[in-house]
């Protein structure tokens, strides 16, 4: 069993192609390493879109979190700017708003200047007002903190086009 686990993670790391992955997946797709990362997380980390697709088709849990930091494969792909993997995970139903007190995918993309991923998440209607629970920062705060000007522009533009309920009430009061 440990040998197959190591082989599956190694295959996800180096981008082992169709036939090799199918052979390894014939036994079990959902192996977890000691830090809780799965082969899907490893493939997302390395940006292997085709392998991510294959693992999802085999039943890998896309919402599984790593033990050491609680992040999902979506967070991993966002962190490293792999927009193809992000798009695929979102199409397959990954939770775009998942944070569990940690940064949201939009917050992560905004902080690390992955403008293409920020744009993709905004197109998929990511909530721009979701905050990290501990310090109450939004994606806009993160982008500004890390001086990501293009991400700030995108977020501000979206913020102005999608007013929140609280801002709408405030604007209505001002008009009266």
């Amino acid at each position: 069993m440990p040998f197959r686990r190591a082989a599956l993670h190694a295959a996800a790391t180096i981008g082992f192609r169709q036939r090799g992955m199918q052979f390894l997946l014939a036994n079990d797709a959902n192996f977890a390493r000691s830090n809780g990362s799965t082969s899907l997380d490893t493939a997302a980390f390395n940006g292997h879109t085709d392998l991510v697709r294959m693992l999802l088709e085999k039943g890998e849990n896309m919402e599984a979190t790593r033990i050491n930091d609680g992040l999902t494969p979506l967070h991993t792909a966002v962190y490293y700017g792999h927009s193809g993997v992000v798009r695929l995970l979102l199409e397959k139903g990954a939770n775009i708003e998942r944070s569990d007190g940690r940064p949201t995918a939009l917050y992560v993309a905004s902080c690390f200047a992955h403008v293409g991923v920020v744009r993709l998440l905004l197109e998929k209607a990511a909530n721009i007002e979701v905050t990290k629970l501990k310090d109450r920062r939004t994606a806009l705060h993160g982008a500004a903190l890390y001086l990501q000007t293009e991400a700030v522009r995108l977020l501000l533009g979206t913020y102005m086009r999608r007013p929140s309920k609280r801002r709408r009430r405030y604007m209505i009061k001002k008009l009266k």
Side-chain angles (χ1 to χ4, degrees), residues 108-116 118 148 151:
V108 173
S110 299
C111 290
F112 293 99
H114 300 307
V115 178
V118 171
Q148 306 301 339

Side-chain angles (χ1 to χ4, degrees), residues 1-11 30-34 37 39:
M1 186 81 137
F3 173 74
R4 285 185 291 164
R5 181 178 303 132
L8 189 57
H9 280 281
N30 199 9
F31 291 122
R33 295 170 67 174
S34 61
S37 71
S39 48

Side-chain angles (χ1 to χ4, degrees), residues 97 99 101-108 110-112 127-147 155 159:
E97 301 301 338
S99 68
R102 292 173 173 80
T104 63
L106 184 59
Y107 184 92
V108 173
S110 299
C111 290
F112 293 99
N127 187 343
I128 56 177
E129 295 187 13
V130 171
T131 60
K132 289 172 55 181
L133 294 179
K134 292 179 183 173
D135 58 14
R136 312 284 297 162
R137 290 185 190 161
T138 65
L140 182 58
H141 289 114
L145 179 68
Y146 289 97
L147 305 174
L155 291 164
Y159 191 73

Side-chain angles (χ1 to χ4, degrees), residues 44-97:
F45 171 85
N46 289 291
H48 299 306
T49 308
D50 53 340
L51 299 183
V52 169
R53 181 178 291 109
M54 193 181 303
L55 289 164
L56 289 172
E57 288 170 359
K58 206 57 175 156
E60 186 91 24
N61 180 4
M62 76 175 91
E63 296 299 328
T65 58
R66 295 189 304 222
I67 294 168
N68 62 344
D69 58 12
L71 299 180
T72 65
L74 177 63
H75 285 92
T76 301
V78 165
Y79 183 84
Y80 291 100
H82 299 307
S83 57
V85 174
V86 171
R87 178 175 281 112
L88 176 62
L89 288 169
L90 291 174
E91 287 170 0
K92 297 290 185 179
N95 185 351
I96 197 169
E97 301 301 338

